[in-house]
Structures are given as C-alpha cells and as structure tokens.
C-alpha cells in the first residue's frame, strides 16, 4: 500500500488538496491528477467527496465547486457552465483523452453525463481559457476526470471485489455496481459493471415566472403537480483498466469504458411546449465507448517524463421523436468515431543559477472524427419508413483537430514563478454536402494560435498572488458548419462560413493557505472575438429544402459576432477546519456576459454558491448541512426569450438545504443525503427540469477484506 | 471475475440497435375508373345584393374611408405583417405540396404519393403538429388546452383538431398508402385540411389578443401570406370559385390586422368588441368560401362517375357534418335540408345558398 502510494506520488508530481486525503481504500490508489496547471483557477472533487455528496450523475459532482453551474436540458442530460460557457466552449478529458467531438452542439450538451461517476477517482475543473495545453474549445475551461487506478502488480495474485448499491426516492433510482481490482502476475487491473434504473423525477412543485407568476411551458407535470413528465432513463456502464509496469519507471495501460444510456427523454421536448402530452423526443440510445492505451515513463534524463496515448472513441446516439396520435416516428442516428493520439513530454528542472531554474513541457495531439448521420421518418400504422436525404449532420463528414504546444516554467528565486506557453493548432473539416437537401460541400482549414503568460508571486508563506493572461480559441466544428436541428430556442441551420472564435482572458487571483484555513478568490475578464452567437434568421433565409425550418417559431444560424463579446465575473471559495472536528466550506460566483450591441449572452448563470457546515468524528462519521443557492437571472438573450425552458422574464432564484451523513466502518461505507429538506421548488437557469423535491439518497459500499 | 470479464466484453460490444430500414407503401390499386365533369360546372357568383355590413371593414372602398373603422395600417389594402417571419406560411406551402400530390389537376395518387404527402404533412412543427391541438373557437373553452391529456375526450367539440380532423387524416393517409380508392382518401384529406385552415384562421384571431403576431398567422393560414390576387392554400381554392368571396375574406383578414393596429399593437389587446367584429366578418366570409367549395362538390355529383364520384361523396361526407354547427345556428330547417344532401342534392344546394348567401 505504502509502495503504491509512493509510486503514485512520484508519477503524479503533485498532491491534490483533497478533503479526505488518507481516507482511501487499497484498491483505489489515487493518481493525483496533474492535467490542470496549478497556477490557474482550479478546484478538484475526489472520490471521497462523491461518496458523501452522492451526485446523481457526473456533472452533479461539480455542483459545489466555485464558478461551476450545472444546467439540465433533461433528467438524463446535464452540462457544466464554467465562467458562463459550456458544451463545445469547454473541454472534457478522461484520463487525459479528449472527449469533445466535432458534433458537440452549441450550448449545453449531455456528454459529461456519459461519464460514470463511480469509475472516477477525481474530477478537476480549470476555469478560464486553456487552449495552449488543451487545444480547441477550451474557452470557458476544462473538466478533467481521472479514473480509478489499478493497483500496481507485485507478482502475486490478489482480488478485491466491491459492491455498491445506490438509491434515491425523488426519482426512484435503483442501481449498483460490482467491481473488482487486483493483480495477477505483472498485471494490475480494475474494472466493473454498473446499472441503474431511474424513474420520473419529483420536484417540489412549479417554478413560476417573475413577471406573470405563470409556470414555464416545460416541463409538463403529472396531475400531482410535482412529478415531471419526460424524465427517467436506464443506464448500463462497464469499464476495465489493465496496467503493467515493465520497470519502476515505465507504465503501460490499456483501458476501456462503455456507457450505455437507454430511453432518456429530452424533457423540454417530451412533450414540447404546446404539444400533446404524448409527444416525446427520446434518446433511445446514448452510447459512448472509449478505449485507449498509454505509455508513461519517467526517464530520469533531461526529458524526465513522457506520455504517449492512443485512443478510439465512439459516440453513438439514436433519437426518436414520437407523435403517437399521428403514428409518426422521426428517427435520427448519429455515429462519430474519433481516433486520437497525444504525446507529451516534460523536462527536468534546469538550474541557471542558484535562484533561477526552468522546465519545459511540450506535446502534440491530434484527433480525427469520422461522422455518419442518418434520419428516417416512419409511419407506424402502415409500417412504412422513408430515409431522409441527410441526417442532423451530413454522412461522410470529417474533422481533424490538434496542435503542437510548448509550456515553460521559470522560477525566479523562492517567491516568483513565471509561466508561458504557446500552441499552433490545426483544424481541418470537410463535408461532402447533400444535393437533395441543398447542403453545401465544405472544406475548411484553420491554423489558430493560442498562448498564455502567468506570474505567481508568493507574497508571504501562506499567501500567493496570481496573474494570468490567456488566449484560447475554438474552431467551428461540424455541428456549427453543417447541422440542421430543432433546439430549445428554435431551429438551427448550418453556416458554412464560420471562422474560429478566440477568447482573451485576463485573471487575477489570490490564495491563502493556512493549516486551518484555505481561501481563494479570482476575478476575470474574457473578451470573445468573433464569438459564435445565435443570429435570428428570417423564414426566407431557411434552406429551401428544410420545411421544418420555415415552420418553426424561431430560426437561427450561428454567426461570428462583429465586435467583442465580454464575460466577466468573480469566484471565491473558503474552507476552514475548526476545532472538535467541525469544518466549514463556502463558494460563491458571479458571472456577467454581454455580446456586441449590449445584448446579454445566452444563459449566463446567475450568482450562485453554497455554504457547508460539517462535523467529522474519528469513528468514521461525517455529517454536514449544506445550503445551495442561486440568485435570479433576468438578463436574457434574444434566444432565451424564445426558449420554453426559461420562464417569462427569467428564472427565479432559490435556496435549498441538504443534510448529509456518512459512516465509514471497516469494510462498509454508508452514506445518506436528505435532499431539499424544506421541499423548495427550484430550477437551475436554462434547465428543462426543476430540481428534485424533498427526498432521500443513499449509498452503501461493501468491500470484503482481502484474504 | 471471469463472469465479470465476460459481462464487460459483452457490454463493450453491445452494439446499437439496427437502423430503421426504409420500407415502401403498398402497390397501386386497380383503377376503378371514373370520369370528371366535362366541362366542369362553372358557378357564376353574383353578390350584387350582398352589401357589406355596416360593421365591416372595407379597404377596397375608398381606402376604408366610408366604413365605420378608424384609419389604420390596413387602409392601404395591403396586409402589413407585424413580424416578417410567419411560420404558418410553411404549413400552407405543405398544403400546396400535398394538393399537388393527391388531388390537384385530376391526379390519381399512387400509394407512394400518399406517403410523400404524409411526410409533408408530418414535418416537425408542420400541419400535423397544429391539427393535434387545433381548437374550434366557436365552442366554449375547455379548462385546459386541448394538448392536455384527457381534455380532447372530455371536450370533443372544442378540441376539433384531435377529435375530428386527426382521425380522418390518419385514416385517409393510411388507407391511401395501401392503394385503396386513392381519390376517395385524397378527397377526405382535402376536406379535413380545408376545415383545418378555416378553424386555424379564426383561432389565430383569438390568440392574437395576447400574441400580436398571431394576426399574421390568421392571414397566412387563409392565403399563405400572399398578395390578394395570388393566394395559396384555402384562399386559392376559394378564389377559383368566387373572386368576390375571396376578396371579402381578404378584406376580413385586413380587418383583423386593422383591429390589432389600433389596439395596443405590440402588447395585449383590450378592445375585444372590435376584435369580435373583425372575427365575425372573417368567419362569415370564410363560411361563404367553404360553402362555395361544398357547392362545387354537390354540383359535381351529377356529372362524375366511378371513383371520381366516390371522391366527391367522401369529401362531402367528411366536411358537411362539421359545417352543420354554423348552418344550424343560422337556420335549423335549412341546415337539415343541407344534411339531407344524399337524398336530395338540389334541395341541399338551395339550402346551402340560403344559409351562406353572402361573404
């Protein structure tokens, strides 16, 4: 155990400031993630946090992190806003593998939901632009999940099974996971299978418009006024990870994970506003499979660390829009295969003088997407199906993105550290077009640049000041350039003329670290140049072959805004360790966004945060009372006004109290959360669903002692 | 351990379900024959005795200066949309596509044509989406919208779209795709869509009270958002049978726009008397237009044969029961005579002329 921990610390080169360090189990040795640079605005959620918070899904795990706001388009979909941006304007990583594909749509998407939180050792959140290291899309920030590590093999055969059971009352969730970890000969392994069934979600009632007191048009409620229609889903997950250490300084990993979600209605389209209650758009299949292999080495020469990763990801979804009263079934089926390769190396520290040393990290990454997309309309009463000429995307489209980067760190004395880096990116996209639907062929390439400069000044031992300037970019993806789809605000059609958007971010932070107190605050300003924003379009501008475009109440294209858009805000967090096992933690964030012409940016989160008071006993008990809150958001973009998810005039604020208790005794962990104690109706701004009403969540984990 | 591994491999390979497989409609049914009227009966509309009511808006007469309406945006005799984007135009465009496939120019549609027409009908946010929730504003409002589960069954008269139109359309599209009596099922679709556009034009007037752009939709549902002389959709059919009736309907759509121009144009309307005046003008003119369509079909019964004749019968069997409420409100005796059209066509024609003499 001690050896593993030492190895891991060596490999990681960084120890996270986790809340529950030392409270780990043998089989879940932590490889403290090092994807996120320490000088940036960042926070981290560890497995112990997940065990106490009992998030319903991976995005919920970030609900208590500063500057992160979770929006939910459906019960089975959730997206994290980082500094007012989400979806394709943020980057998701799993074990360093980029999950973003070229079909991620603008605004919230469901793909962070396709990570099984039970397989995650830690999730790091970096707020602010980070394209130098992470490439296109990293405008708002980066979410990097690290999987549970396999134990290091020591030649013996050992096996440690774990059984986890989880349930909730508000949405009748029942699920569990069986996993094993162990070693056999030179191989360390960990893997498991999980499943859960989730029912209709009960809220605490309707959330009403601040203007006229009426509830928004979505979601639709059952007659009890609490149960939300268009919710519930089923889920199956599996993962496996095999690790070999040919020597103490080399590690080979082969890993795979599979996520299978079935029958997840898109709540705001199930039914759509004004439609019959039996009309529903359902994600029949929302699958993601990721397989990757990596080689990590600590060479002990000038090039000290090296990591090479090859990956394949398949993102597959089948959507069914059913109108049973008319026997109409619209089916969309999209598959994106992504082949990726990434190579990074890190130098040792070079001494220039006693007071000056520098190090370098550099790398190259590239991801190729191959897209297949189909659409069908079926009439179920006569068993006739017609294939449409194109799907949401054009089959045969391709996207190649990547870049070459270098990052240098210069330490000047004991108090000053300067970091700077740059990236030359590339993005090359093509689509064969589709004559029948008058979809143009596309062939576009860009070579966007990114860079950053940061200074960290350790003013005094516990206090640091940090200044960073970052230039990041997002190249248009295939969704922006080619998609035709019905979205929350209305019908989106393609714009082949888009060019990359860039974000220049300046941020100032301060960190105070004492034994009993940790305090961090950041202020930031981001200027988005050529931001891809929704531009309302007239019916006359619809593609002539797209009848659904003209029939929709709102139509838009993404266009590069002329002039600068701005996002600014402040974020803060404080954590205090108090006497007698008491503790306190609080976060707060405020974001303000505006496009050219002084128009608010769409779905900017309201001021939000949380306050947590906890008590821990050496016996293994932890208890906490948590207040989650958000202010009202009444600054709405034009697209927000036509979005049925947002109440007329904006989304009211909320304050929700949860109680948590967790007991860890020997081989058993029992966690209980009484959520929404006062049964307060609440809704995260921009969501299709209201949050859960009063209910209980529980988790029981059994780890039989190893023989 | 091994079981877990097997499970994991199975799941990893858990391949997605198969894609839908395109399937065809039925085969062409035997042509039951049938002939059209040669030449088609021509109805010479004479409306010299049908002077506009004192409350009517008359933009074609001295730019409305002789009627009781204050000066307004419609006095130009042109419809000025509140919003250039009128989604209901796409539904009229779909109607035109369906008409071309199923009945216009004497076409005898194939099963594949029915499927193509149904695709146009069922497009997202298209005609079907509105049929499913269309309400008949002549009937007292239900406590909840007709899109609410259970409401159509409890309030079938108000929820005319889901309870009356939808079953006909579903059935006719399905049977047409089998190749069975295609002209008959095309005629049923035409009848149901004719009534849909009639109901829609009126219901949009009501919703325009709070949503000003719905007045645009009222106009567009009638004529597809076109100038007076070149209407599409229901307007095109009515104009082909009676130019003056069409013009009166068009006048009434301008009256609706005029009301909204005068009544808090971009906010919530308060002058419901003026609104109802405009709506009644529109309803009267539209009913006269629908009566012209019915009249044509009744007349054609005498000179068509075979499947063409059966199609006329199907059209009338579909549409006339829906017209009965308006007819009975005017004259129950004449309404009964009209409903007895299967027994005595000339009497039904006479009743129709008496019931809906003027637009």
């Amino acid at each position: 155990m001690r050896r593993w921990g030492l190895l891991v610390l060596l490999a990681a080169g960084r120890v996270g400031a986790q809340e529950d360090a030392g409270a780990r189990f043998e089989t879940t040795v932590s490889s403290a993630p090092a994807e996120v640079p320490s000088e940036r605005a960042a926070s981290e959620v560890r497995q112990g946090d997940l065990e106490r918070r009992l998030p319903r899904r991976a995005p919920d795990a970030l609900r208590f992190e500063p500057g992160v706001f979770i929006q939910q388009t459906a019960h089975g979909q959730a997206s994290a806003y980082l500094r007012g941006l989400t979806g394709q304007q943020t980057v998701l990583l799993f074990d360093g593998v980029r999950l973003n594909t070229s079909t991620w749509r603008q605004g919230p998407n469901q793909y962070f939901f396709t990570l099984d939180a039970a397989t995650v050792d830690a999730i790091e959140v970096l707020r602010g632009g980070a394209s130098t290291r992470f490439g296109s899309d990293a405008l708002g920030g980066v979410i990097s999940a690290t999987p549970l590590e396999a134990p290091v093999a020591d030649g013996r055969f050992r096996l440690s099974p774990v059984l986890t059971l989880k349930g909730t009352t508000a949405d009748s969730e029942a699920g569990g996971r069986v996993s094993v970890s162990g070693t056999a000969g030179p191989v360390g392994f960990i893997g498991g299978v999980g499943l859960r069934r989730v029912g209709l979600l009960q809220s605490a009632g309707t959330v009403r418009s601040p203007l006229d007191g009426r509830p928004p048009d979505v979601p639709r409620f059952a007659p009890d006024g609490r149960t939300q229609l268009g919710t519930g889903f089923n889920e199956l997950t599996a993962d496996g990870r095999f690790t070999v250490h040919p020597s103490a300084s080399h590690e080979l990993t082969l890993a795979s994970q599979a996520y299978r979600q079935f029958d997840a209605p898109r709540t705001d389209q199930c039914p759509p506003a004004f439609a019959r209650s039996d009309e529903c758009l359902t994600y029949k299949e929302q699958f993601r499979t990721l397989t990757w292999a990596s080689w990590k080495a600590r060479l002990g020469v000038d090039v000290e660390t090296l990591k090479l990763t090859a990956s394949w990801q398949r993102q597959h979804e089948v959507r069914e829009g059913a109108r049973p009263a008319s026997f109409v079934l619209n089916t969309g089926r999209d598959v994106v295969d992504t082949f990726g390769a990434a190579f990074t190396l890190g130098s040792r520290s070079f001494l220039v003088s006693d007071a000056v040393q520098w190090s370098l990290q550099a790398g190259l990454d590239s991801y190729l997407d191959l897209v297949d997309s189909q659409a069908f309309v079926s009439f179920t009463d006569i068993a006739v199906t017609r294939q449409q000429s194109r799907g949401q995307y054009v089959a045969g489209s391709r996207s190649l993105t990547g870049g070459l980067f270098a990052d240098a760190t210069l330490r000047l004395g004991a108090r000053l550290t300067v970091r700077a880096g740059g990236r030359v990116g590339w993005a090359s996209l093509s689509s064969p077009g589709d004559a029948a639907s008058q979809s143009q062929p596309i062939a576009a390439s860009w070579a966007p640049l990114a860079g950053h400069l940061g200074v960290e000044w350790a003013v005094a031992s516990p206090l640091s000041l940090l200044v960073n300037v970052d230039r990041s970019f997002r190249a248009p993806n295939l969704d922006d350039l080619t998609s035709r789809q019905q979205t929350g605000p209305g019908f989106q059609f393609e714009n082949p003329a888009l060019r990359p958007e860039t974000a220049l971010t300046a941020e100032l932070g301060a960190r105070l670290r004492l034994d009993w107190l940790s305090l961090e605050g950041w202020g930031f300003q981001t200027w988005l140049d050529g931001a891809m924003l929704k531009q309302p379009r007239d019916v006359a501008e619809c593609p002539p072959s797209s009848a659904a475009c003209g029939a929709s109440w709102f139509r838009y294209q993404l266009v590069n805004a002329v002039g600068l858009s701005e996002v600014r805000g402040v974020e803060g967090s404080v954590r205090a360790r108090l006497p007698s096992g008491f503790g306190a933690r609080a976060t707060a964030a405020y974001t303000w966004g505006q496009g050219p012409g002084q128009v608010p940016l769409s779905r900017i989160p309201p001021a939000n945060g949380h306050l947590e008071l906890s008590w821990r006993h050496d016996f293994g008990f932890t208890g906490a009372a948590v207040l989650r809150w958000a202010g009202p958001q009444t600054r709405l973009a034009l697209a927000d006004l036509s979005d049925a998810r947002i109440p007329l005039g904006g989304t009211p604020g909320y304050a929700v109290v949860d109680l948590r208790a967790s007991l860890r005794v020997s081989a058993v962990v029992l966690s209980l959360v009484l959520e929404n104690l006062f049964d307060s109706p609440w809704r995260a701004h921009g969501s299709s669903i209201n949050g859960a009403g009063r209910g209980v969540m529980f988790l029981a984990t059994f780890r039989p002692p190893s023989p | 351990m091994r079981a877990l591994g097997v499970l994991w491999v199975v799941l990893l390979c858990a391949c997605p379900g198969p894609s839908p497989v395109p399937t065809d409609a039925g085969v062409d049914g035997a042509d039951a024959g049938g002939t059209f009227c040669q030449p088609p009966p021509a109805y010479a509309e004479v409306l010299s005795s049908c002077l506009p009511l004192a409350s009517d808006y008359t933009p074609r007469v001295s730019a409305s200066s002789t009627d009781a309406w204050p000066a307004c945006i419609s006095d130009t005799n042109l419809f000025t949309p509140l919003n250039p984007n009128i989604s209901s135009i796409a539904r009229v465009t779909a109607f035109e596509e369906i008409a071309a496939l199923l009945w216009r120019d004497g076409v005898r549609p194939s099963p594949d044509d029915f499927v193509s027409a149904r695709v146009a009908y069922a497009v997202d946010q298209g005609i079907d989406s509105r049929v499913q929730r269309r309400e008949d504003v002549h009937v007292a409002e239900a406590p909840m919208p007709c899109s609410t589960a259970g409401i159509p069954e409890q309030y079938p008269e108000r929820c005319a779209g889901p309870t009356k139109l939808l079953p006909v359309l579903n059935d006719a599209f399905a049977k047409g795709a089998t190749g069975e009596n295609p002209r008959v099922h095309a005629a049923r679709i035409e009848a149901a869509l004719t009534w849909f556009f009639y109901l829609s034009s009126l219901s949009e007037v009501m919703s325009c009270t709070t949503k000003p752009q719905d007045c645009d939709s009222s106009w567009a549902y009638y004529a597809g958002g076109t100038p007076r002389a070149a209407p599409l959709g229901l307007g095109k059919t009515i104009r082909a049978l009676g130019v003056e009736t069409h013009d009166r309907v068009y006048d009434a759509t301008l009256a609706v726009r005029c009301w909204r121009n005068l009544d808090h144009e971009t906010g919530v309307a308060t002058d419901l008397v003026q609104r109802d005046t405009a709506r009644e003008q529109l309803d009267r003119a539209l009913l006269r237009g629908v009566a012209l369509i019915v009249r044509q079909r009744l007349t054609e019964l005498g000179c068509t044969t075979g499947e063409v004749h059966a199609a006329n019968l199907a059209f009338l069997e579909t549409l006339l029961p829906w017209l009965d409420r308006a007819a009975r409100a005017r004259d129950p005796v004449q309404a009964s005579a009209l409903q007895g059209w299967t027994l005595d066509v000339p009497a039904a024609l006479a009743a129709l002329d008496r019931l809906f003499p003027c637009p």
Side-chain angles (χ1 to χ4, degrees):
Chain A
M1 166 68 180
R2 190 172 297 164
R3 184 186 158 210
W4 296 351
L6 191 62
L7 250 173
V8 162
L9 290 181
L10 279 172
R14 179 183 171 211
V15 183
Q18 70 265 36
E19 204 170 299
D20 64 334
R24 302 203 165 274
F25 290 93
E26 194 173 59
T27 54
T28 56
V29 175
S30 163
S31 67
E35 295 292 344
V36 170
S38 61
E39 77 276 13
R40 299 296 304 275
S43 66
E44 187 178 42
V45 178
R46 306 304 300 247
Q47 200 197 22
D49 302 323
L50 303 180
E51 282 180 353
R52 285 190 302 275
R53 294 175 185 174
L54 303 188
R56 282 194 159 78
R57 56 244 133 196
D60 271 355
L62 305 181
R63 203 180 280 287
F64 303 95
E65 298 311 298
V68 183
F69 189 77
I70 306 299
Q71 180 271 5
Q72 274 197 269
T73 294
H75 192 198
Q77 302 181 349
S79 192
Y81 274 80
L82 309 179
R83 292 190 166 172
L85 304 176
T86 194
Q88 53 174 218
Q89 291 179 306
T90 60
V91 167
L92 294 189
L93 301 172
F94 191 80
D95 202 16
V97 178
R98 181 185 171 90
L99 302 185
N100 294 42
T101 76
S102 56
T103 60
W104 284 22
R105 59 181 169 273
Q106 209 225 21
N109 64 40
Q110 70 271 33
Y111 302 110
F112 189 25
F113 203 99
T114 64
L115 288 183
D116 182 0
T119 68
V120 168
D121 182 50
I123 305 174
E124 287 182 293
V125 181
L126 184 158
R127 307 186 300 277
S131 284
T132 299
R133 179 67 185 83
F134 302 103
S136 182
D137 302 358
L139 304 182
V142 177
I143 297 173
S144 173
T146 309
L148 294 168
E149 283 283 354
V152 177
D154 55 5
R156 290 183 297 165
F157 178 79
R158 291 184 302 161
L159 206 61
S160 301
V162 179
L163 171 66
T164 302
L165 300 172
K166 187 166 179 269
T168 65
T169 57
D171 51 7
S172 308
E173 175 183 333
R177 174 178 161 83
V178 179
S179 63
V180 290
S181 63
T183 63
V187 179
F189 59 87
I190 184 169
V193 176
L195 59 89
R196 62 173 173 161
R197 291 182 71 93
V198 186
L200 296 175
L201 176 64
Q202 278 215 343
S203 69
T206 52
V207 169
R208 296 179 179 278
S209 155
L211 281 188
D212 64 4
R214 294 171 58 190
D217 294 316
V218 294
R220 214 71 75 83
F221 285 85
D224 64 6
R226 295 174 61 91
T227 306
Q228 300 176 89
L229 305 180
T231 54
F233 57 91
N234 299 317
E235 190 180 88
L236 200 56
T237 62
D239 60 279
R241 186 177 178 87
F242 300 86
T243 307
V244 177
H245 291 87
S247 71
S249 55
H250 291 265
E251 180 184 280
L252 299 172
T253 299
L254 175 64
S256 188
Q257 60 165 212
Y259 177 89
R260 303 286 184 266
Q261 186 190 61
F262 301 93
D263 302 322
R266 189 175 142 156
T267 309
D268 66 326
Q269 300 290 325
C270 187
F274 312 116
R276 278 173 66 108
S277 53
D278 55 0
E279 186 173 334
C280 188
L281 172 64
T282 304
Y283 282 74
K284 300 299 287 184
E285 297 174 348
Q286 175 70 56
F287 295 177
R288 193 174 57 75
T289 306
L290 175 65
T291 300
W292 71 107
S294 69
W295 168 39
K296 282 191 269 189
R298 297 186 67 82
L299 303 177
V301 294
D302 286 353
V303 176
E304 192 173 55
T305 62
L306 180 151
K307 183 179 179 186
L308 182 63
T309 305
S311 62
W312 166 68
Q313 179 181 226
R314 169 166 284 190
Q315 176 186 298
H316 159 97
E317 61 188 53
V318 175
R319 303 171 300 276
E320 274 189 8
R323 256 180 276 152
S326 303
F327 308 100
V328 176
L329 194 63
N330 286 295
T331 305
R333 183 186 176 93
D334 302 324
V335 178
V336 184
D337 284 302
T338 303
F339 300 91
F343 174 66
T344 57
L345 52 84
S347 77
R348 66 177 178 85
S349 282
F350 295 96
L351 283 173
V352 177
S353 69
D354 286 349
V356 179
Q357 56 181 298
W358 65 276
S359 60
L360 185 73
Q361 193 177 34
L364 181 148
D365 51 70
S366 204
Y367 293 85
L368 172 68
D369 287 1
L370 306 178
V371 177
D372 186 31
S373 183
Q374 299 171 325
F376 304 86
V377 57
S378 304
F379 301 106
T380 57
D381 53 346
I382 53 175
V384 167
T385 294
R386 281 263 178 105
Q387 183 165 3
Q388 312 286 80
S389 73
R390 59 163 284 178
Q392 187 160 306
Y393 311 101
V394 179
S397 297
R398 291 169 176 237
S399 161
L400 179 71
T401 59
L404 184 67
F405 76 93
D407 243 342
T409 301
L410 181 65
R411 296 186 196 282
L412 302 167
R415 294 180 181 271
L416 203 61
T417 305
V418 178
R419 298 176 178 93
R423 164 182 284 256
V424 178
W426 53 77
S428 178
L429 296 95
S430 68
S431 169
D434 173 56
S437 62
Q438 294 165 300
S439 306
Q440 293 180 33
I442 288 172
S445 295
W446 300 279
L449 302 176
H452 75 98
L453 174 66
V455 177
E456 181 175 359
W457 177 32
V459 181
S461 167
L463 177 65
S464 301
L465 294 179
L466 304 104
V467 181
N468 295 301
V469 177
D470 176 274
R471 183 187 196 270
S472 290
F473 66 86
R474 182 174 85 79
N477 68 11
L478 289 170
D479 185 88
D480 308 317
L481 296 168
T482 68
S483 75
R484 291 181 185 176
Q485 58 188 316
Q486 200 67 253
T487 69
F491 190 89
Q492 177 191 346
F493 60 96
E494 70 270 23
N495 182 1
L498 287 167
R499 57 183 170 78
E501 57 184 347
T502 58
L504 180 67
T505 298
E507 61 182 17
L508 177 64
R511 278 192 192 126
L512 179 70
R513 294 267 163 81
L514 299 170
D515 283 347
W516 65 277
L517 180 69
S518 170
L519 202 148
E520 187 163 331
W522 289 89
F524 70 92
Q525 165 86 34
T526 297
W527 294 270
L528 286 161
D529 185 20
M532 290 182 235
L533 302 178
K534 297 182 179 78
Q535 178 72 37
R537 291 300 190 207
D538 288 342
V539 169
E541 295 171 286
C542 284
S545 58
S546 178
C549 177
S552 294
W553 63 90
F554 185 80
R555 302 141 300 277
Y556 70 90
Q557 272 182 309
L558 296 177
V559 299
N560 291 107
V562 177
L564 294 176
S565 304
E566 293 179 71
V567 184
R568 67 177 75 116
V570 290
E571 304 144 349
S573 65
V574 58
R575 178 180 293 159
R577 197 169 294 149
L578 305 173
S580 305
F582 285 95
R585 184 171 184 259
T587 60
Y590 171 76
T591 313
W592 180 93
Q594 183 165 280
Q598 301 190 330
V599 178
L601 290 177
S602 179
R603 282 182 284 191
I604 292 287
N608 68 91
H610 91 284
L611 171 65
E612 179 178 333
L613 299 173
S614 63
W615 179 69
R616 177 177 302 195
H617 191 277
D618 291 343
F619 179 67
F621 175 82
T622 305
V626 186
L627 170 71
R628 295 179 273 136
W629 62 271
Q633 180 53 285
T634 55
R635 294 186 74 246
L636 303 180
L638 190 58
D640 297 340
L641 299 176
S642 68
D643 196 325
R645 292 173 286 196
I646 298 175
L648 186 66
T651 308
Y654 61 82
V656 174
V657 174
D658 302 328
L659 296 181
R660 299 180 192 146
S662 179
L663 183 66
R664 184 189 292 260
V665 179
S666 182
V668 178
V669 178
L670 297 172
S671 297
L672 198 70
V673 173
L674 176 55
E675 62 176 332
N676 199 352
L677 181 65
F678 299 110
D679 204 29
S680 312
W682 68 283
R683 177 188 291 218
H685 180 60
S687 297
S688 302
I689 64 169
N690 293 353
R694 181 165 44 223
V696 172
M697 303 194 283
F698 79 90
L699 174 86
T701 302
F702 307 95
R703 301 169 197 259
S706 300
Chain B
M1 171 69 182
R2 180 177 295 174
L4 202 64
V6 170
L7 237 178
W8 183 79
V9 170
V10 167
L11 188 67
L12 202 61
C13 300
C15 298
S19 289
V21 178
T23 46
D24 295 330
V27 294
D28 281 348
D31 192 339
T35 55
F36 291 91
C37 300
Q38 291 298 346
Y43 173 68
E45 187 176 55
V46 180
L47 296 177
S48 52
S49 61
C50 288
L51 297 176
L53 300 184
S55 59
D56 281 358
Y57 178 67
T58 56
R60 287 179 293 147
V61 181
S62 306
S64 168
S65 59
T66 59
D67 62 30
W69 289 66
C72 69
I73 196 169
S74 299
D75 292 349
T76 58
N77 195 24
L78 298 171
F79 191 95
T80 309
L82 270 149
N83 185 326
N85 295 296
I86 307 169
S87 60
S88 43
I89 289 175
R91 287 168 213 121
V92 176
T93 304
F95 173 84
E96 289 290 313
E97 190 181 336
I98 293 167
L101 285 163
L102 298 187
W103 63 78
R104 200 161 275 167
D105 300 327
V107 67
R108 184 172 191 270
S110 68
D112 210 41
D113 291 333
F114 273 93
V115 175
S116 296
R118 198 173 185 183
V119 170
Y121 162 80
V123 77
D124 191 27
Q125 301 296 325
I127 299 173
D128 174 56
S129 70
R130 299 308 190 263
V131 166
Q132 292 203 19
R133 60 186 194 233
R134 183 57 67 228
E135 302 188 12
D136 184 345
V137 295
H138 302 93
V139 181
E141 215 170 333
M144 302 281 282
C146 290
S147 54
T148 312
I151 291 293
E153 292 76 17
Q154 290 180 54
Y155 301 89
E157 292 300 317
R158 174 75 185 190
C159 301
T163 62
K164 296 180 178 177
L165 305 180
L166 190 61
V168 171
L169 289 162
N170 284 341
D171 187 64
F173 275 121
K175 287 184 174 154
T178 66
E180 169 197 322
N181 300 323
R183 289 189 199 281
V184 170
H185 297 300
R188 295 172 69 209
I189 292 166
E190 184 183 2
L193 293 183
T194 297
W195 198 247
F196 165 75
F197 283 103
Y198 161 72
L199 290 180
S200 298
S201 194
L202 292 169
S203 71
E204 296 292 334
V205 178
M206 301 302 280
S207 55
C208 180
T209 307
T210 53
K211 291 185 276 186
Q213 70 275 20
D214 282 4
C215 282
D216 296 342
S217 289
S218 171
W219 166 67
Y221 269 127
Y222 172 64
T226 55
R228 182 187 288 270
L232 295 173
L234 180 59
K236 180 175 181 173
T237 310
I238 290 176
R239 190 174 190 275
L241 297 170
V243 173
E244 179 61 16
T245 293
H246 161 70
D247 279 335
R248 294 284 186 93
V249 180
Y250 209 94
D251 289 348
T253 62
L254 291 174
V256 171
R257 180 69 185 89
C258 181
W259 151 65
R260 209 58 181 86
N261 178 232
L262 298 169
D263 189 2
H264 306 91
E265 186 167 50
T266 57
V268 175
T270 56
D271 189 351
L272 304 188
V273 173
Q274 191 79 319
R275 177 197 68 185
D276 290 342
T277 300
R279 183 172 64 94
E280 283 161 17
Q281 182 180 346
L282 178 62
D283 197 2
R284 177 172 16 99
L286 276 172
L287 280 171
R288 166 69 186 172
V290 173
L292 284 181
I293 297 170
V294 170
R295 187 176 211 296
Q296 183 74 2
R297 295 287 184 158
L298 282 170
T299 308
E300 288 180 0
L301 285 176
C303 53
T304 49
T305 64
E307 195 181 328
V308 179
H309 183 77
N312 279 322
L313 287 173
F315 184 95
L316 294 164
E317 282 165 356
T318 303
L319 186 57
L320 273 175
W322 298 334
L323 196 58
D324 188 53
R325 183 207 53 77
R328 209 154 288 279
R330 292 172 179 222
D331 186 336
V333 174
Q334 296 299 331
S336 296
L338 179 59
Q339 291 304 320
W341 63 276
T342 50
L343 303 173
D344 188 344
V345 170
L349 273 171
L352 191 67
D353 289 341
R354 288 190 198 101
L355 285 164
F356 306 104
C358 295

